[in-house]
Amino acid sequence: MTAVESRPAGVALTPSPGGQRPFGARVKAFVALTKPRIIELLLITTVPVMFLAAQGVPDLWLVLTTTIGGYLSAGGANALNMYIDRDIDALMDRTSQRPLVTGMVSPRECLAFGITLAVVSTVWFGLLVNWLSAALSLGALLFYVVIYTMLLKRRTAQNIVWGGIAGCMPVLIGWSAVTNEMSWAAVILFAVIFFWTPPHYWPLSMKVKDDYARVGVPMLPVIASNRVVARQIVAYSWVMVAVSLLLTPLGYTGWFYTAVALLTGGFWLWEAHALLSRAKAGVTGAKLKEMRLFHWSITYVSLLFVAVAVDPFLR
């Protein structure tokens, strides 16, 4: 585990003179602890799966309770992640304004907030959805906090590969919320997100690798050349696209999903190979354009899972 100073020299942990923390700013800070933008992606993979599991419109109350429970659970995991990573967050440019770094929220408050959300979300799922979904939700939270944040992140370049399993769990939660059981369809979509996560995150890591290097976090772009990283991105991308196409021959989806998967997956592969070509040519800096793939990856997963939700109505 890499030990670092908890904050840069000269950076105060209180946001205003005298340690005053306005109520409105405090509320925004606690919301920020949950990382709402990341949770948006998690919900994008949860709700459409519920439509596929129901082969139509699922019970809307169930969708609402599952969505709220998912937000609470993921929010608790993200808050605990910020509590554990507060030392390195203070030294990284992209995380220097997080609530614990600015002092808007204290470490003790963050820890209590994260634990409270973890407990409430588990009970919420158990009582209002089902206990299988509750177990999956708690498992995802513990995996993200303990396995990824505490054990993998600062120790191995494979951190995001295996740590990404936590981000795959909303697919299983969405399916189990409707059916109270598992299915190969849910497993396939779990695998899609598993193979999506590294080529989604590595381009961003390439962009901010100096941040990770500064704090000793061995993200793959920190310890490997752009060419090696791009090759890994291409390899994972091909597997991801291939797995995404398994739903149709197994009878879970029809022509609409297949068309979307082929078109969006094809464009993804085009971008991935273009990044590899630039990396092989020795292109660096802004001309590497690694963020093109990062931004497309968000669009890709959104379109793919919208197709998952729409497809049952076109069969």
Side-chain angles (χ1 to χ4, degrees):
M1 186 79 70
T2 304
V4 296
E5 179 63 31
S6 62
R7 62 183 174 91
V11 176
L13 288 180
T14 53
S16 59
Q20 297 178 1
R21 298 183 292 182
F23 177 76
R26 289 265 288 163
V27 171
K28 290 181 180 179
F30 277 98
V31 172
L33 288 176
T34 66
K35 301 182 184 179
R37 293 187 66 182
I38 292 178
I39 292 177
E40 287 176 14
L41 281 175
L42 297 180
L43 297 181
I44 283 173
T45 62
T46 304
V47 176
V49 172
M50 298 180 73
F51 279 76
L52 182 63
Q55 284 296 297
V57 180
D59 179 85
L60 296 183
W61 171 249
L62 181 63
V63 173
L64 179 62
T65 54
T66 302
T67 300
I68 293 173
Y71 188 98
L72 295 174
S73 179
N78 289 329
L80 293 171
N81 168 267
M82 286 197 195
Y83 172 79
I84 296 166
D85 279 351
R86 65 191 185 279
D87 57 340
I88 62 176
D89 281 349
L91 300 179
M92 297 175 63
D93 292 337
R94 62 185 290 266
T95 56
S96 61
Q97 295 303 309
R98 284 181 173 175
L100 268 71
V101 179
T102 64
M104 191 60 69
V105 176
S106 72
R108 180 177 295 179
E109 290 172 331
C110 180
L111 179 62
F113 181 65
I115 293 175
T116 299
L117 289 184
V119 173
V120 170
S121 65
T122 303
V123 175
W124 176 280
F125 266 117
L127 296 180
L128 298 180
V129 183
N130 57 57
W131 287 104
L132 174 57
S133 297
L136 291 169
S137 172
L138 180 60
L141 184 149
L142 292 175
F143 196 96
Y144 183 69
V145 173
V146 178
I147 304 299
Y148 172 68
T149 306
M150 297 180 67
L151 299 179
L152 296 178
K153 184 173 181 178
R154 308 193 195 193
R155 288 181 168 87
T156 172
Q158 294 297 303
N159 46 22
I160 201 66
V161 175
W162 300 108
I165 288 176
C168 306
M169 297 297 281
V171 172
L172 303 185
I173 293 169
W175 189 277
S176 68
V178 174
T179 66
N180 200 22
E181 62 184 15
M182 283 293 98
S183 161
W184 280 112
V187 173
I188 289 169
L189 289 170
F190 176 99
V192 170
I193 300 300
F194 177 80
F195 290 109
W196 169 86
T197 302
H200 157 70
Y201 197 79
W202 281 334
L204 175 62
S205 300
M206 294 169 77
K207 179 74 173 178
V208 298
K209 65 180 179 181
D210 290 342
D211 256 0
Y212 285 118
R214 186 183 308 123
V215 297
V217 174
M219 289 293 178
L220 184 61
V222 173
I223 66 169
S225 67
N226 287 340
R227 179 182 297 188
V228 170
V229 177
R231 282 176 178 165
Q232 290 290 309
I233 287 173
V234 167
Y236 275 90
S237 297
W238 274 100
V239 177
M240 175 197 72
V241 173
V243 171
S244 74
L245 295 172
L246 291 177
L247 285 175
T248 302
L250 292 179
Y252 293 108
T253 52
W255 68 268
F256 180 75
Y257 170 84
T258 305
V260 173
L262 284 171
L263 290 172
T264 56
F267 188 75
W268 176 301
L269 293 174
W270 175 275
E271 286 290 345
H273 279 277
L275 176 60
L276 177 57
S277 295
R278 292 190 293 272
K280 285 182 175 179
V283 175
T284 58
K287 292 183 178 180
L288 185 59
K289 299 178 182 179
E290 68 278 356
M291 292 299 286
R292 283 174 57 97
L293 184 58
F294 172 77
H295 292 305
W296 171 249
S297 69
I298 298 172
T299 303
Y300 167 83
V301 79
S302 301
L303 292 174
L304 188 73
F305 275 81
V306 166
V308 166
V310 172
D311 189 84
F313 299 98
L314 302 177
R315 301 184 67 191

